Amino acid sequence: TAKDNTNTNGPKHPYSQFSWGNRQSLKETPEANGVDIMAELRKFYNQYYYAKNMSLVVIGAYTLDELQEHVVDYFSHVPGKPREKSPLTMQHISGTDTSSVWNETHHSPIADVFGMPFDFSSSCIYRTVPVKERHTLSIAWQVMPLQSHWKSKPCDYISHLLGHEAAGSLLSALKTKSWVTGCYAGVGSGGHEDASTHALFSISFSLSEEGVSHWAEIISLLYSYIGMLRHYCVEGFPGWIYEELRAIHEVSHKFEDEKSPEEFVEHLAEAAAPWYNLPPDRLLDGNSLLFEFDANAVKNLLENYLTPGNSRVDLMSSVFGRAHDYEENHGDDASKLPKTDGMHLKNELFDSGGPPMTEPMFGTKFWCHEIPSAVVQEWSNAAVAHLPPDSSMLSLPPVNPFIPVDFELKALPADDAHHPLVNCSLKLCISVGKKKAWFPATVTKFNGLKNQVLLSYEDEDEKWHLVDSILQEHDSFEPDYESTFDNKSIKFRIVAMPEVGEGAVLKYGDDSDFHVESGTHFPPIPPPIPESRLPQLVSNTQLLKLWHLQDRKFKRPIAELRLKLVCAGINRSPLEGACADLFVTLCSDATTEVSYLASVCEIGSSISATGFGFGLRFNGFDHKLLDLAKVLLNVILSFRSDELPPEVKPGRFDACLEVLKRKYSNAGMKASKLCSEIRLRCIRPTIWSSSAKADALVGITPSKFMEVISALLKKVSVEGLYHGNVGPAEAEVAISLITEALLSAPGSTGLPKKKHPSQFVIKMPRNQTHPIISVPTKDLTDSNTAVEVYFQVGPDDVRKRTLIDLIAHVLDEPFYDQLRTKEQFGYDVSCGSRWTYGVMGMCFCVVTSCKSANESTERIERFLEEFRKELEDMKDETFMEHVNGLAKNKLQMFNSLEEECGNLWSEITEGRYQWDSERQEVVLLKSITKQELIAAYDDWLLPQCNGTKNYRQSLVVKVIGSGDGPSSEDRPVFDAEHFGSEIDRHITGFHKSAGQTTWGKIF
């Protein structure tokens, strides 16, 4: 759709250019027109690559003087002015202080030369054929450039109102008609949407199939909402709307996770770009915060830009066919297309469209229809300033009850309290005989009751030291700070301090630290995490098992509550699996109005169907987090009855069922995803395919659905993790809230452990040849072929797990370099370890459009055979660099609470509960030898030894594309109507060949 937008606007406007670039646009077309592409590239470079047209941000561990020296050294050759003049050269306008470049403002002449990108002299609708099954309606308005409005951000204000999803919203009204399932409004962040010449404000609706034929009425209701907003432009908007937005922007910016240095400089360089015209004191927050409400700018946008005469309408729908329908010798004649359920769409406007046009770069099929003047006039009338009637169900958003106001960090236990020295790396001057020597140590704990710190030494010996009074007066320290412990008897110096999110730091303050960074030395292993700082089991009943961990690393007022609802029979048949997916869709739909209000306040929620039942996640500001959890838990558990709960509004069951069926239909459209899905289903026999679940839903009724889902929810056990800025008191509140919700239905007793659904993994037999599953791509227009070669190792074991990771670390770069870089085998080449419910393995993946599946498989095998000699000849220093590099990777800190919580949660969901597994692996890694690595490689991966094929536990999955080249070689022919069942048959055959044997229960 984005490419259609650029292709169908003014042909001379820069917006119409193909911005991605491919062989056709960069070679074939220029050559056909006699254009020297290299000469054009140099001309472009000479006209626009100069200092005044750029912004530069440098970050590094140097002083400002040193950084300036480096900048002068590396960038002084960049000219200050363009080498060649251009009519589009950015105009630099000096401010009051001509000596300061910060006071310059900039103006792009592109708008003066070309004007707005779209010509809306006639109102048109563009009707597009998608690749997947989908229905989307988009309306875009071209508006004035927004850079001068950075203080008020009027488009953010309008998008907040138009894209709202709570009661009274446009989405809520359209959902009651069963025409729309979701919407998004606003200005995108890309250069096409937010430029120095214009901005594109758009609203996009995800439609039901019924909604496709009501596209004009949907737009009419949209303009009714705009008419209501125009009314408030005259009468005045309620002040609390802006204040809510301003407060949310402020707390989101203040407490956002720290960016990596790379992300930070990229963000800052973009903010400093000349065309933004941000003052230097607002480079960090100018694009994030709201500073004022500009009612005139909002009114100007609504009255002069968001009008029918200034809009572009795009309707993409599989009702018009799918992309592959036009590839099967049908040409452009839609009358020859196979009829689908939606092909009966009756619309005189569309019937007169004739054959479709073709977008030249991607081959997208589309029609352009002029919208009748009567329809446009109806929209214009709807947009007149007025309050809509009550029957329209349109209103301004309600006051948001989820805005957090309490950002205090919860106090830590007094005997393991916060202190600025905790996790710092020190060097202590300690007497040894008659001499004094400096010893490295790490502060691991502070006892506020005794005013003592616990130090862990290099030999893992631990000792408490009294904090001298002078230290108690400091809230923070800096590296190289010196002081004393134990009444001034021991002198220490701070060597290193932890970054936000980092645990205990162990550095020596000498050259060894640089050797660790460069990978030539094994990194120092931090002391074990104290038991009190690992997740604590605060509730352990058959009904609820809750783990709690209070954050002491990131120090932000945020939290995560993750729950798994364990249901017996969840994997019994495709019907249970399909009803579980439908349940998730219905719950998400029924709670949209509440969850959206919370999401606006950075409090998120999600529900998903899993192999054990259902997964719930609540995350964001800890204040009000449990309020959201309570509402959603009550809705979710209200399905334990014979009838649909009242939260499921009339018509929503059928609408959600349609959404789910469409999701099933679109599953596996990408070759790489289908390949991974087949491999996973081969080793996990309890996963049902999308096609099997879609078949199970044929003829499903609300009563049948409730019969299945209420049986699944009848006896439920919950296990969860409450992590973040939450202390023991908050954990008790969570226990009460969850327990009360679970006990709200009579007879709720929880699910005995022995009835929890099993997560078995197929035990692959050892073979000299790979079992192979070969299928065609589902998308007939996809020329890509995907191959995965999977090697199974066996049940989880810390030593084998570490060996697999080390092998993957050694192979990753040479595998990519040889197949991707040197041999150009495919655009996606990778290898890595796999951990599937306690069973370990390795996978080698290739996605290619220029090689056959057989060539890819054989090349992977040949690489494994050839690399055996590389391993044998590998120097000890090189081997140790891999060991050191992997150890360093495993000891890397988490970048956010979300990342740390996800790591802990995976231990819970997989039943392993090894909270400090990375440290265990690093300790073991230190003892692994090259000979042990080679022995494991030979046993698990090596194709043959001394001319004899090895016996390996392996599987090859091939998804073969439909291109004209080698990638389509040996493509199987599947009946399109039975595509899913054909794949199911192949997978069932693999299970039988493996004897239906599993590894049994591992955790």
Side-chain angles (χ1 to χ4, degrees):
T1 300
K3 185 63 197 79
D4 279 350
N5 283 353
T6 62
N7 186 61
T8 54
N9 71 330
K12 294 184 178 181
H13 199 283
Y15 186 87
S16 67
Q17 303 303 309
F18 181 52
S19 58
W20 288 284
N22 60 13
R23 181 181 178 85
Q24 179 182 343
S25 68
L26 295 175
K27 181 176 173 60
E28 295 171 359
T29 301
E31 287 180 354
N33 294 323
V35 175
D36 184 342
I37 195 68
M38 285 304 299
E40 290 297 315
L41 182 63
R42 292 189 183 95
K43 179 181 177 182
F44 188 87
Y45 175 83
N46 289 332
Q47 289 178 338
Y48 302 112
Y49 280 67
Y50 59 96
K52 280 203 169 211
N53 206 34
M54 298 178 178
S55 59
L56 172 67
V57 177
V58 179
I59 190 170
Y62 301 94
T63 65
L64 289 177
D65 288 342
E66 290 171 326
L67 283 175
Q68 181 173 330
E69 184 179 336
H70 287 308
V71 168
V72 171
D73 185 26
Y74 288 106
F75 295 97
S76 59
H77 66 281
V78 178
K81 296 181 179 180
R83 299 169 180 85
E84 295 180 19
K85 286 289 185 180
S86 165
L88 302 182
T89 299
M90 183 79 75
Q91 298 171 5
H92 308 278
I93 306 166
S94 296
T96 54
D97 179 8
T98 56
S99 65
S100 173
V101 295
W102 288 113
N103 284 336
E104 285 188 336
T105 56
H106 307 81
H107 172 70
S108 170
I110 297 179
D112 302 333
V113 176
F114 295 102
M116 287 287 198
F118 291 107
D119 177 11
F120 290 137
S121 56
S122 61
S123 298
C124 295
I125 177 171
Y126 291 86
R127 188 164 55 99
T128 309
V129 176
V131 174
K132 294 183 177 182
E133 186 174 328
R134 63 186 302 179
H135 314 293
T136 304
L137 173 65
S138 299
I139 301 92
W141 300 273
Q142 54 185 359
V143 304
M144 74 284 190
L146 300 174
Q147 289 70 48
S148 62
H149 297 277
W150 61 271
K151 289 184 179 180
S152 61
K153 301 177 178 61
C155 279
D156 285 9
Y157 186 86
I158 296 174
S159 66
H160 171 69
L161 299 173
L162 282 180
H164 217 274
E165 299 180 15
S169 66
L170 183 60
L171 174 64
S172 181
L174 289 169
K175 283 175 68 175
T176 61
K177 298 177 181 291
S178 298
W179 293 347
V180 169
T181 59
C183 79
Y184 167 81
V187 176
S189 58
H192 282 93
E193 295 86 0
D194 186 12
S196 59
T197 58
H198 70 282
L200 288 181
F201 187 102
S202 62
I203 183 165
S204 181
F205 298 98
S206 297
L207 306 179
S208 64
E209 189 170 297
E210 180 186 353
V212 176
S213 59
H214 293 280
W215 63 271
E217 295 157 89
I218 293 171
I219 297 176
S220 183
L221 198 63
L222 164 65
Y223 280 113
S224 289
Y225 200 96
I226 290 174
M228 180 186 71
L229 298 183
R230 289 181 179 179
H231 166 82
Y232 283 105
C233 285
V234 177
E235 298 296 322
F237 285 96
W240 57 264
I241 295 180
Y242 171 75
E243 287 304 317
E244 276 192 359
L245 267 180
R246 184 198 58 75
I248 291 166
H249 278 67
E250 184 177 325
V251 297
S252 299
H253 176 75
K254 182 177 180 180
F255 296 110
E256 70 177 343
D257 290 325
E258 288 195 8
K259 296 181 175 69
S260 68
E262 296 82 4
E263 289 177 312
F264 178 75
V265 294
E266 183 178 343
H267 168 79
L268 198 54
E270 183 176 351
W275 67 285
Y276 267 121
N277 285 319
L278 283 176
D281 59 334
R282 288 301 176 193
L283 290 178
L284 294 177
D285 61 14
N287 289 325
S288 302
L289 300 181
L290 292 174
F291 301 91
E292 62 186 22
F293 177 61
D294 189 341
N296 290 329
V298 171
K299 182 179 180 181
N300 180 39
L301 282 165
L302 289 170
E303 293 187 350
N304 298 320
Y305 290 97
L306 270 62
T307 64
N310 185 47
S311 68
R312 174 194 168 103
V313 180
D314 286 275
L315 181 60
M316 175 183 285
S317 174
S318 46
V319 164
F320 314 134
R322 300 259 291 275
H324 66 75
D325 293 329
Y326 292 85
E327 301 292 329
E328 296 184 315
N329 302 318
H330 298 299
D332 292 337
D333 188 353
S335 66
K336 296 181 181 179
L337 294 176
K339 298 297 181 182
T340 66
D341 291 342
M343 293 299 287
H344 63 272
L345 175 68
K346 297 296 182 183
N347 189 297
E348 293 181 4
L349 176 63
F350 297 162
D351 289 343
S352 62
M357 293 179 277
T358 303
E359 187 279 318
M361 290 300 175
F362 293 134
T364 304
K365 302 293 182 180
F366 71 97
W367 295 263
C368 178
H369 309 271
E370 187 169 346
I371 302 172
S373 57
V375 174
V376 177
Q377 186 59 51
E378 180 186 334
W379 295 346
S380 298
N381 294 340
V384 173
H386 72 290
L387 281 178
D390 293 340
S391 60
S392 71
M393 296 180 289
L394 299 179
S395 65
L396 291 177
V399 175
N400 198 324
F402 292 102
I403 295 178
V405 294
D406 182 3
F407 305 106
E408 289 294 319
L409 297 181
K410 306 299 187 294
L412 294 167
D415 61 348
D416 189 10
H418 168 72
H419 191 281
L421 282 178
V422 171
N423 290 333
C424 287
S425 185
L426 311 179
K427 274 203 168 180
L428 288 85
C429 188
I430 300 176
S431 298
V432 180
K434 295 183 179 180
K435 296 183 178 180
K436 289 189 174 183
W438 289 88
F439 293 90
T442 300
V443 183
T444 61
K445 199 172 184 179
F446 173 66
N447 188 326
L449 300 174
K450 297 182 178 180
N451 195 32
Q452 293 179 332
V453 290
L454 180 64
L455 267 61
S456 176
Y457 290 87
E458 191 177 3
D459 58 1
E460 296 193 6
D461 184 29
E462 293 185 330
K463 187 176 180 181
W464 287 96
H465 294 274
L466 182 68
V467 176
D468 288 346
S469 58
I470 190 171
L471 286 174
Q472 300 177 45
E473 301 171 4
H474 289 74
D475 294 326
S476 61
F477 299 102
E478 295 291 335
D480 295 327
Y481 175 84
E482 295 186 357
S483 190
T484 58
F485 290 136
D486 298 338
N487 296 317
K488 300 184 179 181
S489 63
I490 295 179
K491 183 179 180 181
F492 74 85
R493 183 178 75 250
I494 298 178
V495 175
M497 302 184 68
E499 298 179 30
V500 173
E502 193 171 15
V505 179
L506 185 55
K507 294 190 176 181
Y508 299 99
D510 54 29
D511 290 344
S512 64
D513 293 340
F514 295 100
H515 295 318
V516 169
E517 288 297 319
S518 64
T520 57
H521 280 193
F522 197 87
I525 300 174
I529 300 175
E531 191 71 27
S532 61
R533 296 189 194 170
L534 297 173
Q536 303 296 304
L537 193 57
V538 292
S539 175
N540 190 15
T541 67
Q542 184 171 285
L543 194 66
L544 173 63
K545 188 176 182 179
L546 184 67
W547 300 87
H548 167 250
L549 178 62
Q550 186 171 355
D551 170 60
R552 55 175 68 237
K553 293 179 181 178
F554 297 98
K555 300 170 186 174
R556 285 179 171 80
I558 58 176
E560 291 254 2
L561 175 62
R562 303 201 185 192
L563 304 173
K564 68 171 185 175
L565 277 63
V566 184
C567 308
I570 190 72
N571 301 320
R572 185 179 296 120
S573 74
L575 179 60
E576 275 77 12
C579 285
D581 290 341
L582 182 54
F583 169 72
V584 166
T585 308
L586 283 166
C587 286
S588 299
D589 185 80
T591 57
T592 294
E593 295 183 357
V594 174
S595 59
Y596 177 80
L597 288 171
S599 70
V600 169
C601 303
E602 300 290 336
I603 304 174
S605 61
S606 65
I607 177 173
S608 59
T610 66
F612 47 73
F614 303 98
L616 298 174
R617 182 186 176 200
F618 307 94
N619 63 293
F621 290 111
D622 60 274
H623 188 216
K624 308 290 182 74
L625 185 77
L626 290 183
D627 293 351
L628 176 63
K630 181 177 181 180
V631 173
L632 266 61
L633 274 172
N634 287 335
V635 171
I636 289 166
L637 294 172
S638 67
F639 281 77
R640 296 180 294 184
S641 62
D642 297 330
E643 296 180 350
L644 286 170
E647 288 82 4
V648 180
K649 300 295 191 295
R652 298 314 301 162
F653 179 86
D654 289 335
C656 290
L657 181 60
E658 181 189 325
V659 169
L660 181 59
K661 287 181 177 179
R662 194 179 306 139
K663 177 183 175 183
Y664 287 158
S665 176
N666 290 331
M669 291 294 283
K670 288 189 67 175
S672 55
K673 287 190 176 181
L674 180 59
C675 197
S676 296
E677 178 194 320
I678 293 173
R679 187 255 308 163
L680 199 57
R681 287 182 54 213
C682 282
I683 60 177
R684 287 192 59 201
T686 54
I687 297 179
W688 303 107
S689 67
S690 296
S691 61
K693 290 189 286 188
D695 290 343
L697 287 178
V698 174
I700 190 83
T701 61
S703 59
K704 180 61 178 177
F705 164 76
M706 288 304 299
E707 177 187 329
V708 174
I709 207 67
S710 60
L712 288 176
L713 296 173
K714 187 175 182 180
K715 284 194 174 183
V716 174
S717 287
V718 174
E719 185 169 11
L721 172 64
Y722 199 19
H723 179 205
N725 184 39
V726 286
E730 287 73 31
E732 288 298 322
V733 174
I735 292 170
S736 299
L737 184 151
I738 298 168
T739 303
E740 182 180 331
L742 289 170
L743 294 176
S744 60
S748 301
T749 57
L751 189 67
K753 180 72 174 177
K754 63 182 180 181
K755 291 191 176 182
H756 286 203
S758 300
Q759 305 299 329
F760 292 136
V761 177
I762 290 290
K763 183 177 183 179
M764 293 183 176
R766 283 186 173 269
N767 290 306
Q768 287 184 308
T769 57
H770 298 305
I772 297 175
I773 292 183
S774 182
V775 305
T777 51
K778 187 176 181 179
D779 177 10
L780 299 180
T781 66
D782 189 354
S783 61
N784 291 310
T785 286
V787 173
E788 288 197 11
V789 182
Y790 173 74
F791 298 95
Q792 196 173 72
V793 173
D796 184 75
D797 168 87
V798 66
R799 194 165 196 89
K800 288 182 180 178
R801 189 195 320 150
T802 308
L803 275 166
I804 292 172
D805 286 345
L806 182 57
I807 291 173
H809 191 276
V810 171
L811 292 180
D812 180 58
E813 191 277 331
F815 181 67
Y816 181 89
D817 180 60
Q818 186 64 43
L819 271 71
R820 173 67 177 90
T821 306
K822 293 178 180 176
E823 300 182 19
Q824 295 287 299
F825 234 80
Y827 67 87
D828 188 354
V829 174
S830 63
C831 68
S833 59
R834 297 292 185 270
W835 201 95
T836 310
Y837 282 100
V839 176
M840 303 174 297
M842 275 200 71
C843 198
F844 296 79
C845 311
V846 172
V847 180
T848 177
S849 60
C850 60
K851 303 287 184 180
S852 71
N854 288 337
E855 286 179 288
S856 300
T857 306
E858 291 166 3
R859 188 61 189 94
I860 292 170
E861 285 284 87
R862 194 165 76 253
F863 172 85
L864 292 173
E865 190 169 341
E866 293 168 350
F867 198 78
R868 174 60 170 75
K869 189 175 187 309
E870 297 284 334
L871 280 178
E872 189 72 44
D873 296 340
M874 184 180 288
K875 295 180 180 179
D876 291 342
E877 296 83 7
T878 304
F879 173 75
M880 286 310 300
E881 286 177 2
H882 284 293
V883 171
N884 299 340
L886 179 60
K888 185 179 172 185
N889 289 346
K890 287 182 176 293
L891 292 175
Q892 279 186 340
M893 68 178 189
F894 296 109
N895 294 313
S896 63
L897 181 80
E898 175 186 7
E899 192 176 304
E900 182 183 21
C901 186
N903 185 68
L904 297 172
W905 184 236
S906 66
E907 294 292 332
I908 293 173
T909 57
E910 292 162 357
R912 196 168 66 173
Y913 303 104
Q914 295 178 10
W915 311 119
D916 202 10
S917 59
E918 289 84 3
R919 185 182 181 278
Q920 296 176 31
E921 292 163 7
V922 170
V923 170
L924 191 145
L925 188 59
K926 202 168 186 178
S927 65
I928 289 179
T929 64
K930 189 175 84 169
Q931 288 69 33
E932 187 178 3
L933 179 75
I934 293 174
Y937 185 91
D938 290 349
D939 186 30
W940 302 332
L941 304 178
L942 187 63
Q944 60 181 351
C945 184
N946 298 323
T948 303
K949 288 186 175 181
N950 276 349
Y951 286 86
R952 298 169 295 173
Q953 294 171 286
S954 62
L955 168 68
V956 174
V957 179
K958 302 175 181 179
V959 177
I960 302 177
S962 61
D964 296 328
S967 63
S968 62
E969 187 178 302
D970 296 326
R971 175 182 167 90
V973 177
F974 279 17
D975 182 353
E977 287 189 25
H978 303 98
F979 184 88
S981 58
E982 281 288 312
I983 293 178
D984 292 348
R985 184 175 61 82
H986 280 70
I987 293 173
T988 301
F990 173 78
H991 292 160
K992 289 180 179 178
S993 69
Q996 305 283 6
T997 307
T998 70
W999 288 100
K1001 188 172 178 61
I1002 297 174
F1003 292 113

